[in-house]
């Protein structure tokens, strides 16, 4: 499994001409999927290919069921207007995000379009088998709609834990209490679609970089905070950092307080034990909270104890961010979940503390922003994982998964 946020590896097999054609199809589909609707003229300009080649490639993507064309509006154009090319948003991936109290399933189309989002509340922390059973039942319930309206290319699983990249095995998901559990293969067998799994925050990072606040950014650090702790992801030179086993960017387990609280991971003073929604909720006298309500309380509370706790957490977060700036030299640091909420309450404080804690020249010009995609982020990220093989070689995947049905309809 490879989470693509940059250029894909070279295609192999076939004649040189065939490889060039497949590579051009890949480039074109990626432009339409990540960049939205383009006219043929714009595609010609962006790719440097000539008009007749673009025409042939668009024709092939259309025949494969991956794209369609519409007539442009005539207003303001000089000469013959160029048809508009769209990625087919009815080519979809199923996105699955198991969490401690719910399983969230999405139907996400090319172009990052979230067609459907289903949140299934569980009575407790679901086991792997329960997760597979629940997802199977929900997908079975949608079967008629999926078969009639959509072309499903695969399933992307966003899991809060350490996921071995190639095998789709959950090495450890502490909050779900999953350990060395194969997930991708049994899910694929149960649903009848290919399935891939990866860490949820890594996938959220990719989504935020492609469709959120990180659009066009080549170097980015993302930190997300929830009741399960802090996860993150890193984009380096346009590529999502994966690591030798796929465990990279466990940013919640970097040290920000020597001698701080013990973390379940075996260390003390980890970012996620010092900057913690659970600790904030304890000060608020709450066990759980809706994101909107938290936003309102943080913005309006005049309780000094709440204020002090938010300031303490923002200062520790600033230390964590300054460490990450030293390691990764990002253009942009993105904050999601309750980290984004705390940041919005006092953005200048966090920015100043980061500047103060950092090697000055390294932190200069680094932007700190709140994530944009919110509840759609993990679904879009998980779908991107499932779309990976299609985006790598559209002709090969679509020929078996999409085109036969598209042409039969
Ligand atoms: Zn830790």
């Amino acid at each position: 499994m490879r989470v693509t946020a940059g250029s894909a590896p070279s295609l192999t097999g076939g004649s040189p001409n065939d490889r060039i054609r497949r590579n051009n199809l890949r480039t074109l589909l990626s432009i339409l999927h990540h960049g939205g609707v383009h006219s043929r003229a714009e595609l010609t300009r962006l790719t440097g290919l000539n008009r007749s080649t673009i025409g042939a490639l668009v024709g092939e993507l259309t025949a494969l069921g991956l794209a369609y064309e519409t007539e442009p509006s005539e207003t303001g154009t000089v000469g013959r207007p160029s048809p508009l090319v769209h990625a087919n948003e009815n080519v979809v991936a199923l996105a699955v995000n198991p969490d401690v109290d719910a399983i969230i399933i999405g139907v996400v189309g090319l172009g990052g379009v979230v067609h459907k989002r289903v949140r299934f509340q569980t009575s407790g922390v679901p086991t792997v088998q329960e997760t597979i059973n629940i997802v199977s039942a929900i997908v079975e319930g949608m079967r008629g709609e999926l078969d009639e309206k959509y072309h499903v290319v695969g399933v992307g699983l966003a899991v809060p834990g350490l996921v071995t990249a190639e095998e789709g095995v959950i090495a450890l998901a502490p909050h779900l209490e999953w350990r060395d559990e194969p997930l991708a293969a049994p899910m694929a067998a149960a649903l009848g679609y290919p399935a891939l799994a990866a860490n949820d925050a890594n996938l959220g990072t990719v989504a935020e970089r492609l469709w959120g606040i990180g659009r066009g950014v080549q170097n980015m650090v993302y930190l997300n905070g929830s009741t399960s702790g802090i996860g993150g992801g890193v984009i380096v030179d346009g590529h999502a950092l994966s690591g030798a086993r796929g465990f990279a960017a466990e940013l919640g387990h970097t040290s920000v307080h020597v001698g701080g609280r013990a973390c379940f991971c075996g260390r003390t003073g980890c970012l996620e034990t010092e900057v913690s929604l659970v600790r904030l909720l304890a000060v608020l006298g709450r066990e759980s909270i809706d994101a909107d309500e938290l936003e309102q309380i943080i913005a309006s509370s005049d309780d000094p104890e709440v204020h002090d706790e938010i300031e303490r957490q923002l200062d520790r977060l600033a230390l964590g961010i300054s460490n990450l700036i030293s390691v990764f030299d990002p253009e942009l640091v993105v904050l999601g979940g309750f980290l984004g909420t705390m940041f919005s309450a006092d953005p200048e404080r966090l920015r100043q503390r980061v500047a103060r804690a950092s090697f000055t020249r390294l932190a200069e010009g680094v932007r700190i922003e709140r994530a944009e995609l919110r509840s759609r982020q993990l679904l879009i990220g998980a779908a991107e994982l499932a779309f990976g093989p299609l985006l790598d070689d559209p002709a090969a995947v679509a020929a078996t998964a999409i085109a036969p049905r598209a042409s039969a309809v």
Side-chain angles (χ1 to χ4, degrees), residues 174-241:
H175 303 285
L176 295 172
E177 296 159 28
W178 296 358
R179 190 181 289 270
D180 297 320
E181 296 266 13
L183 179 65
M187 188 68 86
L191 298 181
Y193 304 116
L196 294 165
N199 172 269
D200 58 350
N202 287 180
L203 294 175
T205 307
V206 170
E208 204 61 53
R209 191 248 166 181
L210 291 171
W211 281 282
I213 189 78
R215 277 184 301 268
V217 169
Q218 294 298 305
N219 290 278
M220 170 180 136
V221 170
Y222 173 66
L223 285 168
N224 184 68
S226 70
T227 45
S228 307
I230 291 180
V234 179
I235 307 285
V236 179
D237 296 334
H239 294 272
L241 193 67

Side-chain angles (χ1 to χ4, degrees), residues 25 27 44 72 92 131 167 205 213 222 269 271 296 303 305 312 352 361 389:
L25 286 172
T27 303
T44 305
V92 301
T131 302
E167 298 88 2
T205 307
I213 189 78
Y222 173 66
L271 181 60
Q296 207 188 345
D303 181 341
E305 216 189 328
R312 184 194 67 77
Q352 281 170 10
R361 286 302 294 274

Side-chain angles (χ1 to χ4, degrees), residues 138-157:
I138 292 172
V139 170
E140 214 38 60
M142 297 193 287
R143 185 68 71 181
E145 190 183 3
L146 290 175
D147 286 350
E148 254 172 55
K149 250 175 106 173
Y150 302 116
H151 303 281
V152 181
V153 297
V155 183
L157 303 154

Side-chain angles (χ1 to χ4, degrees), residues 252-254 263-267 270 272-273:
H253 301 283
T254 49
C263 181
F264 76 85
C265 77
R267 312 168 81 231
C270 282
E272 81 165 40
T273 57

